[in-house]
Amino acid sequence: MWAGQYTGLYPFPLMVLLAPISRLPVDAAAVLWFAACMGILVWLLRRQSLYWLLFVPFLQCMFLGQIDPFFWLIYRYKRPAIWALLSLKPQLLLPALPGIFSSRRNFLEFAAASLALHVPFLIIRPRWPAECMSFI
């Protein structure tokens, strides 16, 4: 990513946002990622976070370094503007669609946040959506 080699397997904005952690040694990056996700889990869910910490499939995803638990925490936040982050991993956007389209206000908030998130990356690399779709 730092050398400018974007292959399109993941959305370009996600790759750019995660590029700084790729400069760390693998062990340090894994510990940092795990700590960040656990901190966000406790911050968002407070008392309910204990149940998630005892749920073995969730912990397995966390230890394997998957990004999905982070996005499921975003989904639970219940704010359409925050749900725009789900567009960084589009398959996880599907459960949020009923909430996005439930009201005009939710849709406009989501659309504005999505545009604010993706337009800068489209300016940097206009062909990234086509490159990403070519791998599907």
Side-chain angles (χ1 to χ4, degrees):
M1 181 69 215
W2 286 102
Q5 302 297 325
Y6 172 67
T7 60
L9 293 173
Y10 292 98
F12 182 65
L14 180 64
M15 298 302 293
V16 171
L17 294 173
L18 291 178
I21 202 169
S22 71
R23 303 298 287 176
L24 297 173
V26 174
D27 293 337
V31 169
L32 179 67
W33 182 255
F34 184 78
C37 286
M38 286 296 133
I40 292 169
L41 173 79
V42 172
W43 177 60
L44 287 178
L45 301 181
R46 293 188 176 52
R47 286 188 177 198
Q48 291 178 348
S49 63
L50 179 62
Y51 300 119
W52 283 99
L53 292 174
L54 297 175
F55 186 54
V56 174
F58 179 79
L59 288 177
Q60 182 181 11
C61 285
M62 293 302 297
F63 284 121
L64 293 175
Q66 295 292 318
I67 198 168
D68 295 352
F70 175 71
F71 284 110
W72 283 112
L73 293 174
I74 289 171
Y75 172 72
R76 289 189 49 118
Y77 198 64
K78 304 294 183 202
R79 287 291 312 241
I82 302 296
W83 287 346
L85 292 172
L86 292 173
S87 65
L88 296 175
K89 191 150 184 187
Q91 66 268 32
L92 297 179
L93 185 60
L94 188 62
L97 289 179
I100 292 168
F101 291 115
S102 66
S103 73
R104 181 177 170 88
R105 180 183 169 273
N106 284 357
F107 175 74
L108 292 175
E109 186 178 337
F110 174 79
S114 293
L115 285 173
L117 176 65
H118 289 288
V119 166
F121 295 105
L122 286 170
I123 292 170
I124 294 170
R125 191 174 183 100
R127 292 191 28 84
W128 80 259
E131 292 170 351
C132 189
M133 293 301 287
S134 71
F135 282 90
I136 294 179

